[in-house]
């Protein structure tokens, strides 16, 4: 489907900083963003409540605004803007859900949500959670800890990690799996 004139004008207004363009953009595409979030989570067998959807929507909007709207500026008009936006949203959601699964693997998310509901101490618990993750990662060899930090906490792609760190892209997944296994052994030692 080609780029529509309405979308082209909206994107141009948005990138030129026209007053009200961001609100028009959000009004026009928020339904699509939510739909892609729900579809992506369903495709990954994850149930999201409305707070999760709202958080992911906010994450997507933040990514769209980052670095002077770099994700929107990267649009080249070779497809409809809706198609392009759906791909961007899907990538953000997958990255965030991967982070969430990582945290769940160590019991952080469920315990964190339970403690928030019981105590009302959200920001304090988040600091404790991050401290625990950093403590666990400090148990890893420096190279693996850095790799975990870049992928899970800084949201870097395999390609970016490969370029910056200088390890083959195909090695990143197995190294992350090895680091996760080591962290599991730190949290739940066998024998």
């Amino acid at each position: 489907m080609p780029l529509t004139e309405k979308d082209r004008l909206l994107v141009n207004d948005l990138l030129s900083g026209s007053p009200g363009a961001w609100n028009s953009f959000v009004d026009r595409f928020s339904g699509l963003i939510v739909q892609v979030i729900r579809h992506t989570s369903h495709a990954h067998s994850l149930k999201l409540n409305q707070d999760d959807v709202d958080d992911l929507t906010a994450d997507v909007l933040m990514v769209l605004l980052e670095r002077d709207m770099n994700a929107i500026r990267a649009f080249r008009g070779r497809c409809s803007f809706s198609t392009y936006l759906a791909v961007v949203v899907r990538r953000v959601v997958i990255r965030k859900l991967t982070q969430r699964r990582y945290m769940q693997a160590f019991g952080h998310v469920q315990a964190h949500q339970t403690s928030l509901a019981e105590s009302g101490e959200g920001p304090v618990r988040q600091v404790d959670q991050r401290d625990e993750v950093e403590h666990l990662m400090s148990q890893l060899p420096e190279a693996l800890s850095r790799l975990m930090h870049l992928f899970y906490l800084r949201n870097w792609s395999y390609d970016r990690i490969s370029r910056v760190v200088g390890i083959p892209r195909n090695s990143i997944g197995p190294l992350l799996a090895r680091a996760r296994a080591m962290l599991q052994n730190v949290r739940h030692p066998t024998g």
Side-chain angles (χ1 to χ4, degrees):
M1 175 184 261
L3 176 64
T4 65
E5 184 65 17
K6 182 176 183 177
D7 287 349
R8 186 186 64 75
L9 290 172
L10 181 56
V11 169
N12 287 341
D13 287 348
L14 188 61
L15 295 177
S16 66
S18 296
W22 178 251
N23 290 338
S24 296
F25 175 83
V26 171
D27 289 344
R28 177 153 170 82
F29 293 108
S30 61
L32 172 67
I33 292 170
V34 169
Q35 180 183 2
V36 173
I37 290 169
R38 290 191 184 282
H39 177 75
T40 304
S41 65
H42 178 74
H44 287 83
S45 301
L46 295 171
K47 281 188 107 172
L48 299 180
N49 61 34
Q50 189 57 47
D51 289 339
D52 295 330
V53 172
D54 292 344
D55 288 346
L56 286 168
T57 301
D59 289 337
V60 167
L61 295 175
M62 288 301 297
V63 166
L64 293 173
L65 288 170
E66 283 177 349
R67 292 174 281 159
D68 192 31
M69 297 186 207
N70 191 45
I72 296 171
R73 287 184 190 286
F75 176 63
R76 297 293 171 237
R78 295 185 194 125
C79 61
S80 73
F81 186 73
S82 295
T83 300
Y84 175 80
L85 183 61
V87 170
V88 171
V89 172
R90 183 178 175 278
R91 287 179 181 167
V92 171
V93 170
I94 288 172
R95 186 175 348 126
K96 294 297 181 180
L97 292 176
T98 300
Q99 287 175 331
R100 183 178 179 174
R101 282 184 178 167
Y102 169 74
M103 298 304 283
Q104 284 175 331
F106 298 106
H108 295 293
V109 172
Q110 186 174 12
H112 174 67
Q113 289 172 343
T114 302
S115 65
L116 287 178
E118 293 172 357
S119 71
E121 297 180 28
V124 173
R125 297 290 185 215
Q126 288 175 339
V127 170
D128 290 344
Q129 175 182 338
R130 185 169 180 94
D131 288 345
E132 185 174 352
V133 170
E134 288 176 358
H135 171 72
L136 286 171
M137 287 177 52
S138 73
Q139 305 297 309
L140 294 172
E142 185 177 337
L144 290 178
S145 178
R146 181 173 185 219
L147 191 63
M148 294 286 280
H149 177 81
L150 294 175
F151 184 73
Y152 288 109
L153 301 179
R154 305 245 345 245
N155 302 319
W156 284 18
S157 68
Y158 281 16
D159 289 329
R160 185 172 183 192
I161 292 170
S162 177
R163 281 192 316 272
V164 172
V165 177
I167 59 176
R169 184 186 189 288
N170 295 352
S171 299
I172 295 171
L175 287 170
L176 288 171
R178 179 175 164 218
R180 286 190 303 270
M182 291 173 76
L183 286 175
Q184 284 287 11
N185 288 334
V186 168
R187 280 195 53 95
H188 308 288
T190 55

